[in-house]
Amino acid sequence: MCLTVLALAACASTPPDQDPVQVKLNDLDTRVTRIERVVANQSLLELANEVEALRNDVRALHNDVDELTHNLELSRKQQRDLYADLDHRLKALEARGGLAGAAAAGPAAPAAATEAAAAAAAGAAAASSAANGQPGLPVPDGTDTANYQAAFTLLKDSQYDRAIGAFQNFLTAFPDSPLAENAQYWLGEAYYVNKSFTDALAAFQRVADKYPQSRKLPDALLKVGYCDYELKQWDAAKQVLSQVVASFPDTPAGHLAQQRLDKMAAEKH
């Protein structure tokens, strides 16, 4: 009896930090706390990875939107450049005509200017005489410039059928006009917007065949490729579009040709 009492007294006097049960409980508590921290850190890491993946997806979407916006603006710029080029060339022709007339009238004009004025006057006379009796011209008794401008106005006003007839009659009446190569190109454009792709193809191809030095050549070849595409002539389209990319790499026509080739590749044509 005395021994039992002494043992209980000894246990009661043992400090808590030396109590085996308490030591075991403290150890278990420490291990549980450590495990909880590991689990929490893993959850945060997974969440961070998911957030970063979402950010990458958003950046990719932004890049796609920027590329589409750039391509759209490039197409719009090409159309604006096409019309601006025509206006500039018309103004330049009108200015040359006015200067030539002034040179012919001046008493001290140089010989070269006098010859240029005479040539311009002869050309205008020939153009006017060629227009006489030609049916269907927008300006029956007008010059090549007047009829060209009238045909182009019909095209800008979306009167495509009338524009086609006007450009056809212009090319018949003024085959040697400096504006003939442009008229041939815009004839193709009028056919193209009318979805007459076979006629458009022939018109654009004639620009390339008859006017190989024309400033319209890159755009004409591009539209040849477009027409082949619309007519489902895949091999011909790839061939001419590849030619545009190789021959005119740093031009709007070259960029648009590459875009159409990429589209065909995605479509597996």
Side-chain angles (χ1 to χ4, degrees), residues 131-176:
N132 291 332
Q134 175 63 37
L137 283 171
V139 187
D141 295 325
T143 63
D144 58 342
T145 300
N147 278 281
Y148 178 87
Q149 185 61 52
F152 188 70
T153 299
L154 291 172
L155 179 63
K156 289 195 296 184
D157 291 342
S158 302
Q159 300 184 49
Y160 302 124
D161 290 333
R162 293 184 62 192
I164 289 171
F167 281 122
Q168 287 175 331
N169 289 323
F170 175 92
L171 291 168
T172 300
F174 308 104
D176 299 322

Side-chain angles (χ1 to χ4, degrees), residues 38-99:
V38 171
V39 171
N41 289 337
Q42 288 179 342
S43 298
L44 290 174
L45 181 60
E46 292 175 358
L47 181 60
N49 290 336
E50 291 178 3
V51 171
E52 185 61 27
L54 289 173
R55 287 176 178 171
N56 290 334
D57 290 342
V58 170
R59 280 195 291 267
L61 288 174
H62 279 303
N63 291 336
D64 291 342
V65 170
D66 290 341
E67 183 177 357
L68 290 172
T69 302
H70 172 72
N71 291 341
L72 178 61
E73 183 57 30
L74 190 65
S75 298
R76 289 175 175 171
K77 182 179 183 301
Q78 186 198 30
Q79 293 300 320
R80 290 195 299 268
D81 290 345
L82 290 174
Y83 290 115
D85 173 65
L86 174 64
D87 290 337
H88 289 324
R89 297 188 70 181
L90 283 175
K91 290 177 181 178
L93 287 170
E94 291 171 354
R96 281 204 296 270
L99 291 174

Side-chain angles (χ1 to χ4, degrees), residues 175-203:
D176 299 322
S177 169
L179 297 169
E181 62 188 66
N182 276 16
Q184 184 65 50
Y185 175 84
W186 292 115
L187 174 61
E189 285 285 1
Y191 278 130
Y192 188 85
V193 296
N194 245 9
K195 299 187 182 301
S196 300
F197 298 118
T198 300
D199 292 327
L201 175 61

